[in-house]
Amino acid sequence: MQRIYADNAATTRLSIKAYNAMLPFMLTEYANASQSYTFARNSKHALQDARTKIADIIGASPEEIYFTSGGTESDNWAVLGAIKQKKQIITSSIEHHAIIRPCEYGISMGAKVSYLPVSDSGIVSALELEKLLNKNNSLVSVMLANNEIGTIEPIAQLAKISHKHNAVFHTDAVQALGHTPINVKDLDVDMMSASAHKFNGPKGIGFMYIRKGLDWDPLITGGSQEKNHRAGTENIAAIVAMAVALEENILELDKNIKHLELLENIIIEKLISSQISFLRNGDKNHIMGNMSLSFPNIGGEALLHRLDLLGISVSTGSACNSTDTQISHVLTAIGLNRKKAEGTIRISLGKDNTEEEAAIIAQKIIHILTPYSNVLIHRNNKKNYI
Ligand code: PLP
């Protein structure tokens, strides 16, 4: 059976170029970059080259890039740093748990945390942000693109408002980097989280951009790596591969976006012409390939498992365990009721997916849903939201 991987927002396949770039730093050039002997020179240079490459791509300087273990660590660093500095935290109601959980910890420690509402397409309210900001010490953290619905947030506008009130602005760009153009100076963000495995780099590696001049205490302390801001021996192989993967994606960004738009259209057109009812969540301005679709009368989990049996990997917006089905906070925040949220799947296409695969995904969904289609069309014949 042909396997079709359509969960690229969860993780991506490692780029072959990135994989090849890793090998020497595991097998031959394995020296610890902190050492001063000659053997460590290549590790040190590779570390610096990767830092420069990444900085150039996002419009930063190399000294503003701090390597971390990925998105979760970078997000925790932003929030826990704010708690330490006794800042109030303003974030959105659709952030990843890597932001939400440390915020909850902050609340338990007495920090003030506010959650900004979003529109029904998932756009964070700038007006509400302005209302919450005051001259107090604040950290505003709003994601650049949402992982469940793909919506791209108006980060430059939100950062501008935040700076007007002397707040520090952080963005979680984990879903966005490598998939949409990003320049930290144009966005005017103070901190930005990124994760390599979302752009065809290895898992367990990422970085945090911290604007020069911003005083932000380290989260992980110990050795003096990363200018005393992130202790721990650097994973040179993964860092090198991350830079290679990012560069590769950025060089082909326009082509990839166009390709993904084509794949999205194939799926949407097939679903519409099948007359199966569905709701497309998110905004027109979204990470291309990220498709959150709600189907009435079938649970997302059931649809996921039926697709899985047919060799197709997608995900749902709700996390289940045997005793409790939790509805996604993102789908709730955009106003979906429990039933619609439960009937939601996320198809996240990647640059490796083909037109044929997109057509098969749509056909299989139609095949699974066809027994229900008469009922649905009859009940709800205006439900194609595109
Ligand atoms: N932030 C967002 C928006 C994400 O989608 C993810 C991963 O799914 C993370 C943070 C966590 O990143 P990592 O897997 O690198 O820890």
Side-chain angles (χ1 to χ4, degrees), residues 9-11 69-73 75 95-99 143 145-148 172-175 193-198 204-206 346:
T11 198
S69 64
T72 301
E73 182 188 324
D75 284 353
E95 295 300 308
H96 190 271
H97 284 109
I99 291 287
M143 67 204 323
N146 182 266
N147 45 305
E148 286 188 39
D172 171 345
V174 167
Q175 289 290 334
S193 306
S195 177
H197 74 102
K198 307 291 186 179
I205 192 74
R346 178 189 67 188

Side-chain angles (χ1 to χ4, degrees), residues 29-54:
E29 300 293 343
Y30 52 82
N32 185 323
S34 299
Q35 298 304 92
S36 52
Y37 39 73
T38 319
F39 180 41
R41 212 177 271 166
N42 283 348
S43 303
K44 224 172 280 177
H45 285 159
L47 189 61
Q48 196 47 27
D49 287 351
R51 202 185 301 283
T52 304
K53 202 177 268 181
I54 290 170

